[in-house]
Amino acid sequence: MGKNDKHISSQWRRKIHEVIYEADTPAGKIFDVTLLVVIIISLILVMLESVPELGNNYREQFIIAEWVITVFFTIEYILRVISINKPFKYIFSFYGIIDFISTIPLYLTFFFGGLNALLAVRSLRLLRIFRILKITRYIGEADKLSKAIRSSGPKIAVFLFAVMVVSIIFGTIMYLIEGPEHGFDSIPKSIYWCIVTLTTVGFGDIAPETPLGQFLAAIIMIMGYGIIAVPTGIVSAEYSKSSNDDKVNPENNADYRHVNTQVCQNCLSKKHQDGASFCHNCGASLDD
Amino acid sequence: MGKNDKHISSQWRRKIHEVIYEADTPAGKIFDVTLLVVIIISLILVMLESVPELGNNYREQFIIAEWVITVFFTIEYILRVISINKPFKYIFSFYGIIDFISTIPLYLTFFFGGLNALLAVRSLRLLRIFRILKITRYIGEADKLSKAIRSSGPKIAVFLFAVMVVSIIFGTIMYLIEGPEHGFDSIPKSIYWCIVTLTTVGFGDIAPETPLGQFLAAIIMIMGYGIIAVPTGIVSAEYSKSSNDDKVNPENNADYRHVNTQVCQNCLSKKHQDGASFCHNCGASLDD
Amino acid sequence: MGKNDKHISSQWRRKIHEVIYEADTPAGKIFDVTLLVVIIISLILVMLESVPELGNNYREQFIIAEWVITVFFTIEYILRVISINKPFKYIFSFYGIIDFISTIPLYLTFFFGGLNALLAVRSLRLLRIFRILKITRYIGEADKLSKAIRSSGPKIAVFLFAVMVVSIIFGTIMYLIEGPEHGFDSIPKSIYWCIVTLTTVGFGDIAPETPLGQFLAAIIMIMGYGIIAVPTGIVSAEYSKSSNDDKVNPENNADYRHVNTQVCQNCLSKKHQDGASFCHNCGASLDD
Amino acid sequence: MGKNDKHISSQWRRKIHEVIYEADTPAGKIFDVTLLVVIIISLILVMLESVPELGNNYREQFIIAEWVITVFFTIEYILRVISINKPFKYIFSFYGIIDFISTIPLYLTFFFGGLNALLAVRSLRLLRIFRILKITRYIGEADKLSKAIRSSGPKIAVFLFAVMVVSIIFGTIMYLIEGPEHGFDSIPKSIYWCIVTLTTVGFGDIAPETPLGQFLAAIIMIMGYGIIAVPTGIVSAEYSKSSNDDKVNPENNADYRHVNTQVCQNCLSKKHQDGASFCHNCGASLDD
């Protein structure tokens, strides 16, 4: 009987697990879409609350809405914890921590009052979107892109290091030429200006005013112009190469891989093969 | 006799159809160029009218010119409707609606007075230019380009999504660091600033003033610097690939396709083969 | 005897022609370098003269220097005309007109006084530099580059046309949203702002202040971000293609072509083969 | 005995040489990391000292820290000189001069007082970082990158020359159109503005205010937009080509080359083969 109970509970938990963690069933899809909508509404509320006119006039409505969302997230968090065999594995996973942090800000206001910093914490809910988007058809593309960026990584690192060196040297020189009277108050601020210029952002909050400073600024800009070409060229070449590799080895192609959203209830491992009945990591049986 | 009349009317309509909808005959070309000139003049007038010095001093001249253009567009619209076998198909097509909207603003002023929003409506005349430009030698190129953009689409979407996420997270952090006293009035405004910075536009209407804010801004800029490389690399690789595909399958090459401006009088379908005598869609005979 | 005289004069003219028009002899090289230096000095003087502190205090010195340069250019112009068989062909050629215009500003001041516009005319001397630089080792590269740009031309034209359309439509919308009270005085100014934003220049002299305007501005910027990728991708692919073509047909390679500076004394035609003794255009014998 | 002494001294010097100049031994690595940390601390101190609030309040602490660093660098410099067979070769090498200049600023203040320019000199310590970073795994990448930049060099030079010409011509025209009353004080300043605009930096400290000036500015920006594509396309194509070359000739691949940090004690030459026992340049035996 106890076994039967456990079996029923297990089935109930298995059901919840399927709905919450996977997106292969209609219920799972509805859950994911609902969650996505709630997260987006929550983010929009955080933004609107920060607008002085709205935040002050509709303070009560914002608090009520935040309560509704917090309760929803709390229930979701509890279900996530109890529907899994090894809850601590989830709790201390990346998304487990994000989920926890996304849920508690309102509870913390009991202890610390309406801290501003809690706003930022609520913005972290955005990261939860990534988990949900695993179901989209963009997986393949994102995978390919992140591969191209990863393989360009060291090159871009070398490059950005060079940018830093240029900024530090020219920033120091500009500080000496322009000086505090033209807004170049200190070397760090001067370096900040140099990065603003090299990256072609150009706020104009600080701008050289002496002829020599303007001449040097022109050189920095033209350098930035040539420099912008390098990371672009690199990514372009890498991406082009990775596209060719896909042609040669079609199984390498990210489009064919893990478009499957199965998650092992036991160990949370992902990327199971299509139609797999057992977890490739711990051997536990998978929902099907 | 009735039949003869109908035949004559049919020939007359066929003639108008050929002139208005196609650009293969001298008359059709003259019509298209005239229309292009009138549209451009109309657009320039809309722009100039918005310049306070001109709009106030030459109000009457602008009204007269607008009347002339409106009458011209009205006649053109009526001819378009009557010269076609299935007028409703045209009226509710994309260009049919654009044509209608481009023509009526002046008539509406009788009912609603000189609304400012009618200016914007008149700017939509610009879209009519696209229909005329189908005759240019740029079709092939535009086609190739739009193909490259379409095939890069999902990748760029993934990418822009990432940009949005970065903007929201850093926007919130900058709002907390800088706060309303330095122009970061609310999170949405802070996100706006973050997009302005990431895209290297850098208006400078809002700029960080605290050292920590400037440090973070420098990081955002350098990220934007690396980020700008990605869509460029993608389009470059895609375009390069599509060029290679053209080499392999020359018929794929956009330059060889539908440079023909035949439009079926019956069903408005396009892209007929060169020398086709009957519509590939409805079987009606084509002008030749 | 007359014939001998003519022969001597012909030899004298041939000598001058060789020095002025070609760069294969030591004298020709010295002449070109001298000319280059004089042109650059002349340009620097034009610039410095426009600086109020310098222009007012050293007015006399500037006038003297300008006289020296004008006399030098006058002599050069006369020599160019008399050393050639068909002087009118030179006089009405592109560089002939540039040379003439570069020389006369000072003479014109006798008739029109110190017009400001003559400054601009003197800046055209810059274009003369291109003729001299034909001798550099960069010819091959410049040729390859201009080929890549030319072949990308129609694509970039299509693209810039699209940019114009986007600017006009969004410019009009921004004018309606922001209006004159936030600096969007008229539609043309609004379009100007839109181009400033799309191209990621972002002066900040005009910036949206309403939330809706800032939201739209953010969309324009992100579009500009995606848009900047397209011409880059095109040039990159074209350039890459043209490099590959060079590999296949080495004679196509710009590096192997007309690095030779021979110019026919009779018809001014260029790009003679190495070691050619007669002009490929008019059959006149070439200097060797 | 003298010989034995010399032998001992030689071994002692050899040991120092190995620690200071190479990074293959644990001691060498510790030394390099220590040096890196000291250089970075030194740079941070230079920056912080320039911040008025810090520089004035903690003047004493900064002076003490600077003394500690200077003593450290002095000892290092002396060891570098004495541990090598041909000290003058080191002293007049690029890094020898940088090391000397990095060390002396504080000593110079005895003679010249606390000159501002000595700040800039201390920033040159940054260059010392490059020597240390030779040990990183980024060597291969940096090498590949610098190869791509070098081979794109002449093309980019041609290109930047074109940018200069465009800037000078449009700068002069803008000076004539806008004039000093709108911030275009002189032609050099106008050229500076033109470079700011062409490179899409757009500070906004100077911005056109007349309709004609804004129209011209729009053209300059759209040109800059098209222009930015060219260097990017070039680097991209070159980099792509150099990657392909690597595939064909794997030994060409920078990743396989001189990841070895051996430096000959006799002649300071580098890039010895792995496992080499004698210098490939002077034949002296290498540390192993």
Side-chain angles (χ1 to χ4, degrees):
Chain A
M1 252 153 107
K3 196 188 167 192
N4 208 21
D5 270 15
K6 200 182 158 195
H7 185 70
I8 287 164
S9 133
S10 167
Q11 263 195 331
W12 178 79
R13 280 173 56 213
R14 179 176 284 254
K15 187 79 199 158
I16 292 176
H17 177 267
E18 203 174 307
V19 169
I20 292 185
Y21 282 94
E22 297 174 17
D24 294 341
T25 58
K29 264 180 196 144
I30 290 169
F31 175 79
D32 275 359
V33 171
T34 313
L35 192 57
L36 193 64
V37 170
V38 174
I39 291 170
I40 290 170
I41 289 174
S42 155
L43 285 169
I44 292 171
L45 285 175
V46 170
M47 285 179 203
L48 295 181
E49 205 180 329
S50 77
V51 180
E53 302 92 66
L54 297 173
N56 296 334
N57 295 339
Y58 302 93
R59 183 173 296 277
E60 252 172 63
Q61 286 88 331
F62 278 117
I63 292 175
I64 293 167
E66 185 56 30
W67 267 114
V68 172
I69 288 162
T70 299
V71 168
F72 180 90
F73 282 175
T74 309
I75 294 169
E76 187 222 339
Y77 185 73
I78 292 168
L79 289 180
R80 272 186 197 276
V81 169
I82 61 171
S83 75
I84 219 163
N85 290 343
K86 297 182 177 163
F88 287 105
K89 191 147 188 183
Y90 161 68
I91 289 171
F92 296 109
S93 71
F94 175 69
Y95 279 121
I97 292 164
I98 291 290
D99 290 350
F100 184 72
I101 290 171
S102 304
T103 312
I104 53 160
L106 198 58
Y107 299 121
L108 289 181
T109 54
F110 284 123
F111 304 99
F112 305 105
L115 273 177
N116 231 347
L118 294 175
L119 270 172
V121 168
R122 280 196 275 157
S123 286
L124 288 177
R125 285 168 187 170
L126 183 67
L127 295 176
R128 307 188 70 197
I129 287 181
F130 285 108
R131 176 165 51 190
I132 301 169
L133 291 183
K134 68 171 188 249
I135 42 168
T136 69
R137 66 185 178 91
Y138 293 118
I139 294 178
E141 296 299 351
D143 215 60
K144 217 176 196 172
L145 255 179
S146 75
K147 213 172 81 183
I149 293 169
R150 247 199 324 274
S151 72
S152 312
K155 273 150 221 145
I156 289 182
V158 169
F159 196 70
L160 291 184
F161 179 73
V163 169
M164 282 309 301
V165 168
V166 169
S167 300
I168 290 172
I169 290 175
F170 278 93
T172 310
I173 297 172
M174 286 302 284
Y175 169 72
L176 293 173
I177 291 173
E178 292 282 332
E181 63 270 28
H182 296 138
F184 293 78
D185 297 338
S186 63
I187 292 181
K189 199 163 188 177
S190 209
I191 291 170
Y192 159 73
W193 173 86
C194 208
I195 292 173
V196 169
T197 305
L198 255 183
T199 55
T200 77
V201 172
F203 283 133
D205 51 344
I206 314 163
E209 286 171 44
T210 63
L212 184 57
Q214 293 182 337
F215 178 72
L216 208 70
I219 288 173
I220 294 172
M221 281 171 236
I222 290 178
M223 272 175 56
Y225 207 74
I227 280 173
I228 219 166
V230 176
T232 310
I234 294 167
V235 174
S236 173
E238 288 292 329
Y239 190 79
S240 184
K241 209 161 66 181
S242 94
S243 292
N244 287 341
D245 289 357
D246 287 352
K247 267 189 208 151
V248 180
N249 305 321
E251 318 111 56
N252 259 353
N253 196 321
D255 295 329
Y256 296 107
R257 283 181 307 177
H258 46 87
V259 283
N260 171 306
T261 64
Q262 293 258 340
V263 178
C264 174
Q265 194 178 9
N266 198 45
C267 70
L268 286 176
S269 68
K270 290 173 193 170
K271 301 190 186 177
H272 300 286
Q273 288 205 309
D274 286 341
S277 299
F278 295 95
C279 174
H280 63 74
N281 189 32
C282 67
S285 92
L286 297 170
D287 314 321
D288 42 336
Chain B
M1 256 149 105
K3 197 187 166 192
N4 208 22
D5 270 16
K6 201 185 157 192
H7 185 70
I8 288 165
S9 131
S10 167
Q11 265 194 329
W12 178 78
R13 280 174 55 211
R14 180 175 283 255
K15 187 79 200 158
I16 294 176
H17 177 267
E18 204 175 305
V19 169
I20 293 185
Y21 283 93
E22 296 175 18
D24 293 341
T25 58
K29 265 182 195 141
I30 290 168
F31 175 80
D32 275 358
V33 170
T34 313
L35 191 56
L36 193 64
V37 169
V38 173
I39 291 170
I40 289 170
I41 289 173
S42 154
L43 285 170
I44 291 170
L45 286 175
V46 170
M47 284 179 204
L48 294 182
E49 205 180 327
S50 77
V51 180
E53 303 91 68
L54 298 173
N56 297 334
N57 296 339
Y58 302 94
R59 183 173 296 276
E60 252 172 64
Q61 287 87 331
F62 277 117
I63 291 175
I64 292 166
E66 185 56 32
W67 266 114
V68 172
I69 288 162
T70 299
V71 167
F72 180 90
F73 281 176
T74 308
I75 293 169
E76 188 222 339
Y77 184 72
I78 291 169
L79 289 179
R80 270 186 197 277
V81 170
I82 61 171
S83 75
I84 218 164
N85 290 342
K86 297 183 178 163
F88 287 105
K89 192 144 188 186
Y90 161 68
I91 290 171
F92 297 108
S93 70
F94 175 69
Y95 280 122
I97 292 165
I98 292 290
D99 289 352
F100 184 73
I101 290 172
S102 303
T103 312
I104 54 161
L106 198 59
Y107 298 121
L108 288 179
T109 54
F110 284 124
F111 304 99
F112 305 105
L115 274 176
N116 230 346
L118 293 175
L119 270 172
V121 168
R122 280 196 275 157
S123 285
L124 288 176
R125 286 170 187 168
L126 183 68
L127 294 176
R128 306 188 71 198
I129 288 180
F130 285 108
R131 177 166 50 193
I132 301 169
L133 291 183
K134 68 171 187 249
I135 40 169
T136 69
R137 68 185 176 92
Y138 293 119
I139 293 179
E141 296 300 352
D143 214 59
K144 218 176 195 170
L145 253 180
S146 75
K147 212 172 80 182
I149 293 170
R150 248 200 322 277
S151 72
S152 312
K155 273 150 221 144
I156 289 183
V158 169
F159 195 70
L160 291 185
F161 179 74
V163 169
M164 280 310 301
V165 169
V166 169
S167 300
I168 290 173
I169 290 175
F170 278 93
T172 309
I173 297 173
M174 287 301 284
Y175 169 72
L176 292 173
I177 292 173
E178 293 282 331
E181 63 269 30
H182 296 137
F184 293 78
D185 297 339
S186 62
I187 292 180
K189 199 163 189 178
S190 209
I191 291 169
Y192 158 74
W193 172 85
C194 207
I195 292 172
V196 168
T197 305
L198 256 183
T199 55
T200 76
V201 172
F203 283 132
D205 51 343
I206 314 163
E209 287 172 44
T210 63
L212 184 56
Q214 293 181 338
F215 178 72
L216 207 69
I219 289 173
I220 294 172
M221 281 171 235
I222 290 179
M223 272 175 56
Y225 207 74
I227 280 173
I228 220 165
V230 176
T232 310
I234 294 167
V235 174
S236 172
E238 288 293 328
Y239 190 80
S240 183
K241 209 161 66 181
S242 94
S243 292
N244 286 341
D245 290 355
D246 286 353
K247 265 189 208 154
V248 180
N249 306 319
E251 317 111 57
N252 260 351
N253 196 321
D255 295 328
Y256 295 109
R257 284 181 305 176
H258 45 87
V259 282
N260 173 305
T261 65
Q262 293 257 340
V263 178
C264 174
Q265 195 179 10
N266 198 43
C267 69
L268 288 175
S269 67
K270 293 172 192 170
K271 302 190 185 176
H272 300 285
Q273 289 204 309
D274 285 342
S277 299
F278 295 95
C279 173
H280 63 73
N281 189 32
C282 68
S285 90
L286 298 169
D287 314 321
D288 42 338
Chain C
M1 259 149 100
K3 197 185 166 195
N4 210 22
D5 271 15
K6 198 181 157 196
H7 185 70
I8 287 164
S9 135
S10 167
Q11 265 194 330
W12 179 79
R13 280 174 55 212
R14 178 176 284 255
K15 187 80 198 154
I16 293 177
H17 177 267
E18 204 175 305
V19 168
I20 293 186
Y21 283 93
E22 296 174 17
D24 293 340
T25 57
K29 266 184 194 140
I30 290 168
F31 174 79
D32 275 358
V33 170
T34 313
L35 191 57
L36 192 65
V37 169
V38 174
I39 292 170
I40 288 170
I41 289 173
S42 154
L43 284 170
I44 291 170
L45 285 176
V46 170
M47 284 180 204
L48 294 181
E49 204 180 329
S50 76
V51 180
E53 304 89 69
L54 298 172
N56 296 334
N57 295 339
Y58 302 94
R59 184 174 296 275
E60 252 171 64
Q61 287 87 330
F62 277 117
I63 291 174
I64 292 166
E66 185 56 31
W67 267 115
V68 171
I69 288 162
T70 299
V71 167
F72 180 90
F73 282 174
T74 309
I75 293 168
E76 187 222 338
Y77 184 73
I78 292 168
L79 288 179
R80 271 185 198 276
V81 170
I82 61 171
S83 75
I84 218 163
N85 290 343
K86 299 183 177 163
F88 287 105
K89 190 144 188 184
Y90 161 68
I91 290 171
F92 296 109
S93 71
F94 175 71
Y95 280 122
I97 292 165
I98 291 290
D99 289 351
F100 183 72
I101 290 172
S102 304
T103 311
I104 54 160
L106 198 58
Y107 298 122
L108 288 181
T109 54
F110 284 124
F111 303 99
F112 305 105
L115 272 177
N116 230 347
L118 294 174
L119 270 171
V121 168
R122 279 196 273 155
S123 285
L124 289 176
R125 285 168 187 169
L126 183 67
L127 294 176
R128 306 187 72 196
I129 288 180
F130 285 108
R131 177 166 49 192
I132 300 169
L133 290 183
K134 69 173 188 250
I135 39 168
T136 69
R137 67 184 176 92
Y138 293 118
I139 293 179
E141 295 300 351
D143 215 58
K144 218 178 198 169
L145 254 180
S146 75
K147 211 173 80 182
I149 293 169
R150 249 201 320 277
S151 72
S152 312
K155 273 150 222 144
I156 288 182
V158 168
F159 195 70
L160 291 184
F161 179 73
V163 169
M164 281 309 300
V165 169
V166 169
S167 300
I168 290 173
I169 290 176
F170 279 94
T172 309
I173 297 173
M174 287 301 283
Y175 168 71
L176 292 173
I177 291 173
E178 293 282 330
E181 63 269 30
H182 297 137
F184 294 78
D185 297 339
S186 62
I187 292 181
K189 199 163 188 179
S190 208
I191 291 170
Y192 159 73
W193 172 85
C194 207
I195 292 172
V196 168
T197 305
L198 256 183
T199 54
T200 76
V201 172
F203 283 132
D205 51 343
I206 314 164
E209 286 171 45
T210 64
L212 184 57
Q214 293 181 338
F215 178 72
L216 208 70
I219 289 172
I220 294 172
M221 280 171 234
I222 290 179
M223 273 175 56
Y225 207 73
I227 280 173
I228 220 166
V230 176
T232 311
I234 294 167
V235 174
S236 172
E238 288 293 327
Y239 189 81
S240 183
K241 210 161 66 182
S242 93
S243 293
N244 286 341
D245 290 356
D246 285 354
K247 267 188 208 154
V248 180
N249 306 319
E251 319 111 55
N252 260 350
N253 195 324
D255 295 329
Y256 296 108
R257 285 181 305 175
H258 45 86
V259 283
N260 171 304
T261 64
Q262 293 257 342
V263 178
C264 174
Q265 195 179 8
N266 198 42
C267 69
L268 287 175
S269 66
K270 291 172 193 172
K271 303 190 185 178
H272 300 286
Q273 289 204 309
D274 285 343
S277 300
F278 295 95
C279 174
H280 63 73
N281 189 32
C282 67
S285 92
L286 297 169
D287 313 322
D288 43 336
Chain D
M1 251 155 111
K3 195 185 166 193
N4 208 20
D5 270 14
K6 200 184 157 194
H7 185 71
I8 287 163
S9 133
S10 167
Q11 264 195 328
W12 178 79
R13 279 174 57 214
R14 179 175 283 254
K15 186 78 198 157
I16 292 176
H17 177 267
E18 203 175 306
V19 168
I20 292 185
Y21 282 93
E22 296 175 18
D24 293 341
T25 58
K29 266 183 194 140
I30 290 168
F31 175 80
D32 275 359
V33 170
T34 313
L35 192 57
L36 193 64
V37 169
V38 174
I39 291 170
I40 289 170
I41 289 173
S42 155
L43 284 169
I44 291 170
L45 286 176
V46 170
M47 285 180 202
L48 294 180
E49 204 179 330
S50 77
V51 179
E53 302 92 66
L54 298 173
N56 296 335
N57 295 339
Y58 302 93
R59 183 172 297 276
E60 251 170 65
Q61 287 87 332
F62 278 116
I63 292 175
I64 292 167
E66 186 56 32
W67 266 114
V68 172
I69 288 162
T70 299
V71 167
F72 180 90
F73 282 175
T74 309
I75 294 169
E76 187 223 337
Y77 184 74
I78 292 168
L79 288 179
R80 272 186 195 276
V81 170
I82 62 171
S83 74
I84 218 162
N85 290 341
K86 298 181 179 164
F88 287 105
K89 190 145 187 183
Y90 161 69
I91 290 170
F92 296 109
S93 71
F94 175 70
Y95 280 121
I97 292 165
I98 291 291
D99 290 350
F100 183 72
I101 290 172
S102 304
T103 312
I104 53 160
L106 199 58
Y107 299 121
L108 289 180
T109 54
F110 284 123
F111 304 100
F112 304 105
L115 272 177
N116 230 347
L118 293 174
L119 269 172
V121 167
R122 280 196 275 155
S123 286
L124 288 176
R125 285 169 188 170
L126 183 67
L127 295 176
R128 306 188 71 198
I129 287 181
F130 285 108
R131 176 166 51 193
I132 300 170
L133 290 183
K134 69 170 188 252
I135 41 166
T136 69
R137 67 185 177 92
Y138 293 119
I139 293 178
E141 294 301 349
D143 214 60
K144 217 176 196 171
L145 254 180
S146 76
K147 212 173 80 182
I149 293 169
R150 248 198 323 274
S151 72
S152 312
K155 273 150 220 145
I156 288 182
V158 169
F159 195 70
L160 292 184
F161 179 72
V163 169
M164 281 309 299
V165 169
V166 169
S167 300
I168 290 172
I169 290 176
F170 279 93
T172 310
I173 297 173
M174 287 302 284
Y175 169 71
L176 292 173
I177 292 173
E178 293 282 331
E181 64 269 29
H182 296 138
F184 294 77
D185 297 339
S186 63
I187 292 181
K189 199 163 188 179
S190 209
I191 291 169
Y192 159 72
W193 173 86
C194 208
I195 292 172
V196 169
T197 304
L198 256 183
T199 54
T200 77
V201 172
F203 282 134
D205 51 343
I206 314 164
E209 286 171 44
T210 63
L212 184 58
Q214 292 181 338
F215 178 72
L216 207 71
I219 289 172
I220 294 172
M221 280 171 235
I222 290 178
M223 273 175 57
Y225 207 74
I227 280 172
I228 219 166
V230 175
T232 310
I234 294 165
V235 174
S236 172
E238 288 294 328
Y239 189 81
S240 182
K241 210 161 66 183
S242 94
S243 291
N244 286 340
D245 291 356
D246 286 353
K247 267 190 207 151
V248 180
N249 306 321
E251 318 111 56
N252 259 351
N253 196 324
D255 295 329
Y256 296 107
R257 285 181 305 178
H258 46 87
V259 283
N260 172 305
T261 64
Q262 293 256 341
V263 178
C264 174
Q265 195 179 9
N266 198 44
C267 70
L268 286 175
S269 67
K270 291 172 194 171
K271 302 192 187 177
H272 300 285
Q273 288 205 309
D274 285 342
S277 299
F278 294 96
C279 173
H280 63 75
N281 189 33
C282 68
S285 92
L286 297 170
D287 313 322
D288 41 335

